[in-house]
Amino acid sequence: MAKGQNVSLSVIKRLPRYHRYLGELLKNSITRISSRELAELMNLTASQIRQDLNCFGGFGQQGYGYNVSALYSEIGGILGLEKHLTTILIGAGNLGRTIATHLEFETMGFKLVGAFDSNYQNIPPVRGLKVQSPDNLEKFCNENSPSIAILCIPKEGAKYISDRLIECGVKGFWNFSHFEFGINRSDIVVENVHLADSMMTLCYRVNELETEMELKSLE
Ligand code: NAI
């Protein structure tokens, strides 16, 4: 098996976190780090880090550790960030505008090339892009071949739009719409995002912590 093939999704999901931490190290002019130091920083174990990176060929040197800049580039390469996948935004309301305005698309490996909203006439440009009517989607996709769509529209309209986008060749969906699709399809990939799920997990953990503390105070 070639390195990097058949890597588990849980390893892939950790790569952006490695990339983020290494990027921060670089910003702080740290050029070299041991797996033990990186593990401490990331609250992982050194063996976990070695195991993860070994899936792609290792990158560390015995007695030296990791060259931060090289590892940052390698992980960026594995994630495909240098390809700057062309991306469009569907729904330029509160959420869509926030995402488009605040995310560092280029560093993350994306290039926002278009924004669409059914209320396009009343919406100012997003990240320098004029917001267009969804009626233009097919023509735009034909000319620009976007790979990714960020769906920031209500659930109700999402099926119709996503069907059209799939037909236009869009392969990846960053889906905030709460409409679940793409299950059992091998021609597209969908990352469903539900911020409230994270909040509810936090709620559970806070309740658990408070119960634990209450029990301790009774001991
Ligand atoms: P919003 O009302 O500010 O913006 C929605 C925008 O989508 C509006 O500008 C509207 O004109 C446009 N739109 C509606 N249907 C459309 C369609 N079929 N085609 C193109 N544009 C369309 O709402 P907000 O706050 O930006 O939220 C957007 C959606 O994202 C909501 O449905 C909300 O439930 C969901 N949401 C999801 C979150 C998550 O964690 N997954 C978090 C927050 C919101």
Side-chain angles (χ1 to χ4, degrees), residues 90-97 116-120 123 134 151-158 160-161 175-178 192-197:
I90 312 291
N94 291 311
L95 181 65
R97 296 190 78 77
F116 297 83
D117 194 295
S118 47
N119 190 24
Y120 65 100
I123 294 190
L151 292 188
C152 292
I153 55 174
K155 189 177 185 178
E156 296 69 38
Y160 177 60
I161 286 278
N175 178 26
F176 289 83
S177 77
H178 298 311
N192 294 309
V193 185
H194 301 283
L195 296 177
D197 288 6

Short mmCIF file of all heavy atoms in Angstrom, two decimals, residues 90-97 116-120 123 134 151-158 160-161 175-178 192-197, ligand 1:
data_model
loop_
_atom_site.label_atom_id
_atom_site.label_comp_id
_atom_site.label_asym_id
_atom_site.label_seq_id
_atom_site.Cartn_x
_atom_site.Cartn_y
_atom_site.Cartn_z
N ILE A 90 -23.52 29.84 -1.18
CA ILE A 90 -24.95 29.90 -1.49
C ILE A 90 -25.66 30.36 -0.22
O ILE A 90 -25.68 29.64 0.79
CB ILE A 90 -25.51 28.51 -1.91
CG1 ILE A 90 -24.63 27.82 -2.96
CG2 ILE A 90 -26.96 28.64 -2.38
CD1 ILE A 90 -24.64 28.46 -4.32
N GLY A 91 -26.21 31.55 -0.27
CA GLY A 91 -26.86 32.14 0.90
C GLY A 91 -25.91 33.14 1.55
O GLY A 91 -24.98 32.74 2.25
N ALA A 92 -26.13 34.42 1.26
CA ALA A 92 -25.23 35.46 1.79
C ALA A 92 -25.94 36.26 2.87
O ALA A 92 -25.89 37.48 2.91
CB ALA A 92 -24.75 36.36 0.65
N GLY A 93 -26.62 35.54 3.77
CA GLY A 93 -27.27 36.17 4.92
C GLY A 93 -26.28 36.28 6.07
O GLY A 93 -25.06 36.36 5.86
N ASN A 94 -26.80 36.25 7.29
CA ASN A 94 -25.93 36.45 8.47
C ASN A 94 -24.80 35.44 8.53
O ASN A 94 -23.63 35.79 8.67
CB ASN A 94 -26.77 36.33 9.76
CG ASN A 94 -27.72 37.50 9.89
OD1 ASN A 94 -27.32 38.64 9.75
ND2 ASN A 94 -28.99 37.20 10.13
N LEU A 95 -25.15 34.16 8.40
CA LEU A 95 -24.14 33.10 8.53
C LEU A 95 -23.17 33.12 7.35
O LEU A 95 -21.95 33.11 7.53
CB LEU A 95 -24.84 31.74 8.64
CG LEU A 95 -23.94 30.54 8.80
CD1 LEU A 95 -23.19 30.61 10.12
CD2 LEU A 95 -24.75 29.25 8.73
N GLY A 96 -23.73 33.16 6.14
CA GLY A 96 -22.89 33.13 4.94
C GLY A 96 -21.92 34.29 4.90
O GLY A 96 -20.73 34.12 4.60
N ARG A 97 -22.41 35.47 5.25
CA ARG A 97 -21.53 36.66 5.23
C ARG A 97 -20.44 36.53 6.27
O ARG A 97 -19.29 36.89 6.04
CB ARG A 97 -22.33 37.93 5.52
CG ARG A 97 -23.37 38.27 4.50
CD ARG A 97 -23.92 39.66 4.75
NE ARG A 97 -22.99 40.67 4.27
CZ ARG A 97 -22.87 40.98 2.98
NH1 ARG A 97 -23.59 40.37 2.07
NH2 ARG A 97 -22.01 41.89 2.60
N PHE A 116 -24.07 33.62 -4.12
CA PHE A 116 -25.43 33.59 -4.68
C PHE A 116 -26.45 33.71 -3.55
O PHE A 116 -26.26 33.13 -2.47
CB PHE A 116 -25.66 32.27 -5.44
CG PHE A 116 -24.75 32.13 -6.61
CD1 PHE A 116 -23.46 31.64 -6.44
CD2 PHE A 116 -25.16 32.51 -7.88
CE1 PHE A 116 -22.58 31.53 -7.51
CE2 PHE A 116 -24.29 32.41 -8.97
CZ PHE A 116 -23.01 31.91 -8.78
N ASP A 117 -27.52 34.43 -3.83
CA ASP A 117 -28.58 34.56 -2.82
C ASP A 117 -29.86 34.95 -3.55
O ASP A 117 -29.82 35.76 -4.49
CB ASP A 117 -28.20 35.64 -1.80
CG ASP A 117 -29.08 35.59 -0.56
OD1 ASP A 117 -30.31 35.84 -0.67
OD2 ASP A 117 -28.55 35.28 0.53
N SER A 118 -30.99 34.37 -3.10
CA SER A 118 -32.25 34.67 -3.79
C SER A 118 -32.63 36.14 -3.57
O SER A 118 -33.39 36.70 -4.35
CB SER A 118 -33.35 33.73 -3.33
OG SER A 118 -33.36 33.63 -1.95
N ASN A 119 -32.09 36.75 -2.54
CA ASN A 119 -32.37 38.17 -2.27
C ASN A 119 -31.20 39.04 -2.75
O ASN A 119 -30.90 40.08 -2.16
CB ASN A 119 -32.59 38.33 -0.75
CG ASN A 119 -33.12 39.69 -0.39
OD1 ASN A 119 -33.74 40.36 -1.20
ND2 ASN A 119 -32.85 40.12 0.83
N TYR A 120 -30.58 38.61 -3.84
CA TYR A 120 -29.33 39.24 -4.32
C TYR A 120 -29.43 40.74 -4.56
O TYR A 120 -28.47 41.47 -4.38
CB TYR A 120 -28.85 38.53 -5.60
CG TYR A 120 -29.78 38.70 -6.78
CD1 TYR A 120 -29.53 39.63 -7.76
CD2 TYR A 120 -30.94 37.92 -6.87
CE1 TYR A 120 -30.40 39.79 -8.83
CE2 TYR A 120 -31.81 38.07 -7.92
CZ TYR A 120 -31.55 39.01 -8.89
OH TYR A 120 -32.41 39.17 -9.92
N ILE A 123 -28.57 42.72 -1.36
CA ILE A 123 -27.43 42.29 -0.54
C ILE A 123 -26.13 42.88 -1.09
O ILE A 123 -25.83 42.72 -2.28
CB ILE A 123 -27.39 40.74 -0.49
CG1 ILE A 123 -28.63 40.26 0.26
CG2 ILE A 123 -26.13 40.24 0.18
CD1 ILE A 123 -28.64 38.82 0.61
N PRO A 134 -29.50 33.11 -7.92
CA PRO A 134 -29.31 31.67 -8.11
C PRO A 134 -29.67 31.21 -9.54
O PRO A 134 -29.24 30.14 -9.97
CB PRO A 134 -30.24 31.03 -7.08
CG PRO A 134 -30.43 32.08 -6.04
CD PRO A 134 -30.37 33.39 -6.76
N LEU A 151 -23.08 25.87 1.75
CA LEU A 151 -24.54 26.05 1.78
C LEU A 151 -24.98 26.73 3.08
O LEU A 151 -24.94 26.12 4.15
CB LEU A 151 -25.25 24.70 1.68
CG LEU A 151 -25.15 23.91 0.38
CD1 LEU A 151 -26.08 22.70 0.44
CD2 LEU A 151 -25.50 24.79 -0.82
N CYS A 152 -25.37 27.98 2.97
CA CYS A 152 -25.82 28.73 4.15
C CYS A 152 -27.24 29.21 3.93
O CYS A 152 -27.54 30.40 4.11
CB CYS A 152 -24.89 29.91 4.41
SG CYS A 152 -23.26 29.41 4.94
N ILE A 153 -28.08 28.31 3.47
CA ILE A 153 -29.48 28.67 3.23
C ILE A 153 -30.35 27.77 4.12
O ILE A 153 -29.89 26.74 4.61
CB ILE A 153 -29.87 28.46 1.73
CG1 ILE A 153 -29.56 27.03 1.28
CG2 ILE A 153 -29.18 29.48 0.87
CD1 ILE A 153 -30.05 26.71 -0.12
N PRO A 154 -31.63 28.15 4.30
CA PRO A 154 -32.50 27.30 5.11
C PRO A 154 -32.68 25.92 4.48
O PRO A 154 -32.55 25.74 3.26
CB PRO A 154 -33.83 28.07 5.13
CG PRO A 154 -33.48 29.48 4.80
CD PRO A 154 -32.28 29.40 3.89
N LYS A 155 -32.98 24.96 5.35
CA LYS A 155 -33.16 23.56 4.96
C LYS A 155 -34.11 23.40 3.76
O LYS A 155 -33.86 22.61 2.85
CB LYS A 155 -33.75 22.85 6.18
CG LYS A 155 -33.84 21.38 6.14
CD LYS A 155 -34.38 20.91 7.49
CE LYS A 155 -34.37 19.39 7.54
NZ LYS A 155 -34.83 18.89 8.84
N GLU A 156 -35.18 24.20 3.76
CA GLU A 156 -36.25 24.03 2.77
C GLU A 156 -35.75 24.15 1.32
O GLU A 156 -36.20 23.42 0.44
CB GLU A 156 -37.38 25.06 2.98
CG GLU A 156 -38.13 24.94 4.30
CD GLU A 156 -37.31 25.31 5.53
OE1 GLU A 156 -36.52 26.28 5.44
OE2 GLU A 156 -37.42 24.62 6.57
N GLY A 157 -34.81 25.09 1.10
CA GLY A 157 -34.37 25.31 -0.28
C GLY A 157 -33.16 24.47 -0.66
O GLY A 157 -32.71 24.50 -1.81
N ALA A 158 -32.63 23.72 0.29
CA ALA A 158 -31.32 23.10 0.08
C ALA A 158 -31.34 21.93 -0.90
O ALA A 158 -30.37 21.72 -1.64
CB ALA A 158 -30.74 22.66 1.42
N TYR A 160 -33.23 21.45 -3.61
CA TYR A 160 -33.30 21.94 -4.99
C TYR A 160 -31.94 22.49 -5.43
O TYR A 160 -31.42 22.15 -6.50
CB TYR A 160 -34.40 23.01 -5.09
CG TYR A 160 -34.52 23.65 -6.43
CD1 TYR A 160 -34.81 22.90 -7.57
CD2 TYR A 160 -34.35 25.03 -6.59
CE1 TYR A 160 -34.91 23.50 -8.82
CE2 TYR A 160 -34.45 25.64 -7.82
CZ TYR A 160 -34.72 24.86 -8.94
OH TYR A 160 -34.82 25.46 -10.17
N ILE A 161 -31.34 23.31 -4.56
CA ILE A 161 -30.04 23.92 -4.91
C ILE A 161 -28.95 22.86 -5.00
O ILE A 161 -28.14 22.85 -5.93
CB ILE A 161 -29.66 24.99 -3.85
CG1 ILE A 161 -30.50 26.25 -4.02
CG2 ILE A 161 -28.17 25.31 -3.89
CD1 ILE A 161 -30.02 27.21 -5.10
N ASN A 175 -21.87 22.01 4.40
CA ASN A 175 -23.31 22.14 4.49
C ASN A 175 -23.77 22.60 5.87
O ASN A 175 -23.76 21.84 6.83
CB ASN A 175 -23.93 20.77 4.15
CG ASN A 175 -25.44 20.77 4.27
OD1 ASN A 175 -26.07 21.81 4.12
ND2 ASN A 175 -26.01 19.60 4.52
N PHE A 176 -24.19 23.86 5.94
CA PHE A 176 -24.72 24.40 7.20
C PHE A 176 -26.25 24.36 7.20
O PHE A 176 -26.88 24.82 8.14
CB PHE A 176 -24.28 25.86 7.37
CG PHE A 176 -22.82 26.01 7.67
CD1 PHE A 176 -21.88 26.00 6.65
CD2 PHE A 176 -22.37 26.15 8.97
CE1 PHE A 176 -20.52 26.14 6.93
CE2 PHE A 176 -21.02 26.29 9.26
CZ PHE A 176 -20.10 26.29 8.23
N SER A 177 -26.87 23.85 6.14
CA SER A 177 -28.31 24.06 5.94
C SER A 177 -29.21 23.15 6.77
O SER A 177 -30.41 23.31 6.77
CB SER A 177 -28.65 23.83 4.46
OG SER A 177 -28.67 22.44 4.19
N HIS A 178 -28.64 22.18 7.45
CA HIS A 178 -29.41 21.19 8.24
C HIS A 178 -30.17 20.20 7.35
O HIS A 178 -30.90 19.36 7.85
CB HIS A 178 -30.40 21.84 9.22
CG HIS A 178 -29.75 22.69 10.27
ND1 HIS A 178 -28.68 22.26 11.03
CD2 HIS A 178 -30.02 23.95 10.70
CE1 HIS A 178 -28.33 23.22 11.86
NE2 HIS A 178 -29.11 24.26 11.67
N ASN A 192 -21.28 17.96 6.91
CA ASN A 192 -22.40 18.62 7.57
C ASN A 192 -21.88 19.33 8.82
O ASN A 192 -21.14 18.75 9.60
CB ASN A 192 -23.44 17.59 7.98
CG ASN A 192 -24.09 16.94 6.79
OD1 ASN A 192 -24.57 17.64 5.88
ND2 ASN A 192 -24.12 15.62 6.75
N VAL A 193 -22.29 20.58 8.97
CA VAL A 193 -21.87 21.32 10.17
C VAL A 193 -23.12 21.72 10.95
O VAL A 193 -24.03 22.33 10.41
CB VAL A 193 -21.09 22.60 9.79
CG1 VAL A 193 -20.55 23.28 11.05
CG2 VAL A 193 -19.96 22.29 8.83
N HIS A 194 -23.12 21.31 12.22
CA HIS A 194 -24.22 21.70 13.10
C HIS A 194 -23.58 22.31 14.34
O HIS A 194 -23.18 21.57 15.25
CB HIS A 194 -25.06 20.49 13.51
CG HIS A 194 -25.66 19.74 12.35
ND1 HIS A 194 -26.77 20.21 11.69
CD2 HIS A 194 -25.32 18.59 11.76
CE1 HIS A 194 -27.08 19.35 10.71
NE2 HIS A 194 -26.21 18.37 10.74
N LEU A 195 -23.48 23.62 14.38
CA LEU A 195 -22.80 24.25 15.52
C LEU A 195 -23.51 23.90 16.83
O LEU A 195 -22.86 23.73 17.86
CB LEU A 195 -22.77 25.78 15.35
CG LEU A 195 -21.97 26.29 14.16
CD1 LEU A 195 -22.06 27.80 14.05
CD2 LEU A 195 -20.51 25.87 14.27
N ALA A 196 -24.83 23.76 16.78
CA ALA A 196 -25.58 23.48 18.00
C ALA A 196 -25.19 22.13 18.61
O ALA A 196 -25.27 21.95 19.82
CB ALA A 196 -27.07 23.54 17.74
N ASP A 197 -24.75 21.18 17.76
CA ASP A 197 -24.35 19.87 18.29
C ASP A 197 -23.17 20.04 19.24
O ASP A 197 -23.11 19.41 20.30
CB ASP A 197 -23.90 18.93 17.15
CG ASP A 197 -25.08 18.45 16.32
OD1 ASP A 197 -26.20 18.95 16.55
OD2 ASP A 197 -24.87 17.59 15.44
P1 NAI B 1 -30.32 34.49 7.06
O1 NAI B 1 -31.81 34.55 6.94
O2 NAI B 1 -29.61 35.67 7.61
O3 NAI B 1 -29.68 34.18 5.63
C1 NAI B 1 -30.18 33.22 4.76
C2 NAI B 1 -29.95 33.74 3.36
O4 NAI B 1 -30.26 32.71 2.45
C3 NAI B 1 -30.85 34.93 3.03
O5 NAI B 1 -30.07 35.99 2.54
C4 NAI B 1 -31.81 34.37 1.98
O6 NAI B 1 -32.18 35.35 1.03
C5 NAI B 1 -30.98 33.27 1.36
N1 NAI B 1 -31.75 32.18 0.76
C6 NAI B 1 -32.81 31.54 1.27
N2 NAI B 1 -33.19 30.55 0.46
C7 NAI B 1 -32.34 30.56 -0.59
C8 NAI B 1 -32.21 29.78 -1.74
N3 NAI B 1 -33.03 28.75 -1.99
N4 NAI B 1 -31.24 30.07 -2.62
C9 NAI B 1 -30.39 31.08 -2.38
N5 NAI B 1 -30.46 31.89 -1.29
C10 NAI B 1 -31.42 31.61 -0.40
O7 NAI B 1 -30.03 33.18 7.89
P2 NAI B 1 -28.63 32.75 8.51
O8 NAI B 1 -28.58 33.13 9.91
O9 NAI B 1 -27.55 33.20 7.63
O10 NAI B 1 -28.75 31.17 8.46
C11 NAI B 1 -28.83 30.49 7.22
C12 NAI B 1 -29.24 29.07 7.46
O11 NAI B 1 -28.21 28.40 8.16
C13 NAI B 1 -30.49 28.97 8.33
O12 NAI B 1 -31.38 28.07 7.75
C14 NAI B 1 -30.03 28.43 9.66
O13 NAI B 1 -30.91 27.50 10.22
C15 NAI B 1 -28.76 27.71 9.27
N6 NAI B 1 -27.78 27.77 10.35
C16 NAI B 1 -27.03 26.65 10.53
C17 NAI B 1 -26.06 26.61 11.50
C18 NAI B 1 -25.27 25.36 11.66
O14 NAI B 1 -24.52 25.22 12.64
N7 NAI B 1 -25.37 24.44 10.75
C19 NAI B 1 -25.78 27.75 12.37
C20 NAI B 1 -26.59 28.89 12.06
C21 NAI B 1 -27.56 28.88 11.09
#
